[in-house]
């Protein structure tokens, strides 16, 4: 029998998960990785830590130097997949070269979304903040006299701000939303984090956006003018769904898959930021662009591509976000009382704990400053543990294993898990 | 692989495992010097209900560790024995691993980065100090 050929489009964490998934089942087959970026897989979230000086370039690789060699992969650096022909099981590269596959994984991630701002072309120094190359380009522009405008107060924009603050003169962050980190924090927690960032010298213009750029000047919708030297665009990202869509596969905002990460196209799988996930904390399909998801989906896809069996059916949003020493953890969905949700809230000095439950299950939480053992709460959401099976009153106050009862502990602490 | 297993029936709640852990990981050779007047940060913790139940919790060295799958820096990995280890040089202290570990087995260390049980493979004890010092065999180190 001929050796099997696997192909992966993209070379991020989802691709790395896919490679490890394939290899957990099959050691012989050959794997071709098509990588638009000219770098071995690296930790995308670390680009801000690099600028901040908290890690070094040689440390941001996701896996060791011999990763591809050890896993018998050929990586086509700087190459781009242009087309998937699902009927003949081939990927065509931009160069025209064709790669035949027995199974394909699309792990193409997302790209920054740039709204059509008027006058954007006239801005001399503008950057996105997604890739290592973006980061190195931005780094070259940094200097102690530079005034920076960041458009977008989401995770990416604020991580960028944290990373470069000590290397520039000042930073202004604007966002159309009335609060920072609007997709994961509520008003109060967002304002705690905002004050914390302001105390470090970052200025915010919220509920405001750029009406027009004129060179290095932004005319805001509110009427204010912001002069800057460096512009960072971090408005949002869009899933890279094009290849699958053009090949006739089902896509929504992201590529649609089943719980084995199989798309609607025969022998085509998808994983990571380019896909939609079934968020079990709210029962809806949505894009969950987080690294743990990317790895787990990639691994699941890889196992199934190689003929093994794995399902990924525990997706939830979850984030551990820290800025200048203040850590907030969030997970799941927050239902209001009108939606049938119940809230448990505890406040201490500089800490807030909010646990959201609904229909007898924990659905989400926000933890400010009290993040110890938070994974115990996360596991209640991911495992859909009925709260009636544990001592919820006890676990609310103290995330621990006592409230699970003896049977659980004997199983988990006395056995292999 | 050999793992640490807990039998809560035998646990006396004496907290000796916490002290032995802190000492083994302190790098000191003198216990008094390592622990006296220090707020210890052991990687094994005794939970108690204030009445009859006490038991120790440390990393389970899971067969499918969600901490490794979730780490944003690639700092967590298994060594050749299967022990889940952390590369402190790679870790950036984001705490995603604390957010996902179902047993609460990862904690912050005294420098604000993270620590977890590594079965004493990296310190002078060489094999779990908590087990060696447990007076009632309530924690054991074996293959199961
Ligand atoms: C600044 C920043 C901070 C972040 N912080 C966190 C965090 O703290 N925690 C967290 O969980 N997540 C974080 N994330 C999100 C996390 O990085 C992503 O969820 C994760 O990297 C997604 O991995 P992926 O493999 O799906 O996609 P990507 O890493 O985007 O990889 C996809 C790759 O595919 C390539 N590609 C696309 N199309 C083609 C093609 N046609 N041919 C060839 N190659 C192609 C792309 O160039 C890209 O390199 C952060 C992201 C950013 C940008
Ligand atoms: S730290 Fe937690 S998730 Fe990781 S191996 Fe140990 S018990 Fe498992
Ligand atoms: S705190 Fe360190 S070990 Fe834990 S997830 Fe973050 S980088 Fe990885």
């Amino acid at each position: 029998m001929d050796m099997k050929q696997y192909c992966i489009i993209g070379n991020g964490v989802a691709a790395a998960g896919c490679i490890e998934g394939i290899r957990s089942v099959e050691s012989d087959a050959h794997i071709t990785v098509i990588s638009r970026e000219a770098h071995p897989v690296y930790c995308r979230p670390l680009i801000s830590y690099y600028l901040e000086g908290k890690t070094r370039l040689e440390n941001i690789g996701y896996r060791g130097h011999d990763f591809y060699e050890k896993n018998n992969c050929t990586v086509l650096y700087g190459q781009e997949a242009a087309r998937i022909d699902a009927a003949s099981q081939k990927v065509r590269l931009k160069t025209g070269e064709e790669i035949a596959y027995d199974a394909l994984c699309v792990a193409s991630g997302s790209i920054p979304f740039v709204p059509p701002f008027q006058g954007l072309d006239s801005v001399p120094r503008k950057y996105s903040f997604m890739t290592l190359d973006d980061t190195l380009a931005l780094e070259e522009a940094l200097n102690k006299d530079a005034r920076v405008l960041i458009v977008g107060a989401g995770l990416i924009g604020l991580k960028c701000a944290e990373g470069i603050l000590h290397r520039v003169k000042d930073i202004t962050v604007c966002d159309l939303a009335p609060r920072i980190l609007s997709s994961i924090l509520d008003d109060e927690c967002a304002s705690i984090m905002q004050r914390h960032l302001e105390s470090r010298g970052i200025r915010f213009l919220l509920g405001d956006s750029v009406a027009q750029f004129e060179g290095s000047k932004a005319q805001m919708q509110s009427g204010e003018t912001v002069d800057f030297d460096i512009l960072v665009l971090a408005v949002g990202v869009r899933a890279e769904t094009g290849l699958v869509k053009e090949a006739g596969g089902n896509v929504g905002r992201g590529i649609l898959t089943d719980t084995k990460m199989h798309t609607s196209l025969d022998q085509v799988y998808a994983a990571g930021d380019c896909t939609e996930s079934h968020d079990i904390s709210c029962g809806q399909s949505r894009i969950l662009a987080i690294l743990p998801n990317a790895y787990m989906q990639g691994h699941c896809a890889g196992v199934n591509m190689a003929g093994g069996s794995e399902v990924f059916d525990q997706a939830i949003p979850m984030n551990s976000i820290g800025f200048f020493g203040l850590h907030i953890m969030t997970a799941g969905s927050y239902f209001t009382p009108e939606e049938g949700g119940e809230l448990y809230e505890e406040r201490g000095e500089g800490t807030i704990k909010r646990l959201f439950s609904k229909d007898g299950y924990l659905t989400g939480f926000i933890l400010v400053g009290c993040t110890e053992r938070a994974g115990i709460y996360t596991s209640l959401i991911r495992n859909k543990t009925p709260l009636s099976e544990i001592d919820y009153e006890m676990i609310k106050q103290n995330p621990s294993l006592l409230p699970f009862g003896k049977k659980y502990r004997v199983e988990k602490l006395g056995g292999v898990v | 692989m050999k793992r640490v297993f807990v039998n809560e029936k035998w646990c006396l709640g004496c907290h000796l495992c916490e002290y032995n852990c802190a000492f083994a990981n302190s790098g000191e050779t003198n216990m008094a010097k390592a622990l006296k007047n220090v707020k210890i940060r052991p990687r094994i913790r005794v939970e108690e209900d204030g009445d009859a139940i006490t038991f120790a919790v440390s990393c389970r060295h899971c067969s499918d560790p969600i901490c490794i799958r979730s780490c944003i820096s690639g700092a967590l990995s298994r060594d050749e024995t299967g022990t889940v280890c952390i590369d402190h040089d790679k870790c950036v202290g984001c705490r995603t691993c604390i957010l996902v570990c179902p047993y609460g087995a990862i904690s912050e260390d005294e420098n604000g980065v993270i620590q977890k049980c590594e079965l004493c493979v990296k310190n002078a004890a060489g094999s779990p100090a908590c087990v060696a010092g447990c007076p009632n065999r309530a924690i054991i180190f074996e293959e199961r």
Side-chain angles (χ1 to χ4, degrees), chain A residues 365-378:
Chain A
F365 61 75
I366 302 178
L367 306 171
V368 183
C370 51
T371 56
E372 218 174 277
R373 301 190 88 185
I376 293 176
Y377 291 138
T378 306

Side-chain angles (χ1 to χ4, degrees), chain A residues 43 56 59 61 291-292 295 299 320 327 329 371 373 375-376 378 382 400-402 409 412-415 417, chain B residues 5-6 8 47-48 55 60 62-63 66 69-73 89-90 94-95 98-99 101-104 144:
Chain A
C43 305
R56 304 181 306 276
N59 252 351
L291 185 140
Y295 183 87
H299 192 274
S320 174
H327 286 266
M329 288 187 190
T371 56
R373 301 190 88 185
I376 293 176
T378 306
R382 292 185 79 240
S400 55
L401 302 186
L402 258 175
R409 293 196 300 271
K412 303 296 182 190
L413 303 179
V417 290
Chain B
F5 296 101
V6 175
E8 69 178 61
E47 283 191 31
E48 42 205 347
F55 57 90
R60 306 309 307 136
C62 303
S63 30
I66 191 172
R69 292 178 161 212
S70 303
C71 173
I72 69 161
S73 76
D89 195 35
K90 286 200 79 159
C94 72
R95 304 183 195 185
I98 297 179
L99 174 67
C101 172
Y103 310 105
R144 273 192 192 169

Side-chain angles (χ1 to χ4, degrees), chain A residues 295-374:
Chain A
Y295 183 87
M296 291 189 268
Q297 292 184 324
H299 192 274
C300 174
V303 167
N304 292 314
M305 285 163 76
S309 174
E310 188 170 307
V311 290
F312 178 65
D313 57 1
Q314 289 185 307
I316 59 166
M318 51 185 184
N319 282 283
S320 174
I321 40 175
F323 296 99
F324 304 111
L326 176 60
H327 286 266
I328 298 185
M329 288 187 190
T330 64
S333 304
Y334 322 140
F335 292 102
T336 61
E338 295 76 50
E339 298 164 323
E342 248 177 84
L343 170 68
Y344 168 77
E345 184 173 82
E346 203 180 281
R347 288 161 182 276
E349 206 168 308
T351 68
I352 298 178
K353 176 192 290 190
R354 293 213 178 103
L355 304 179
F356 299 84
S357 58
K358 190 182 171 207
D359 302 332
Y361 296 95
L362 190 68
T363 60
F365 61 75
I366 302 178
L367 306 171
V368 183
C370 51
T371 56
E372 218 174 277
R373 301 190 88 185

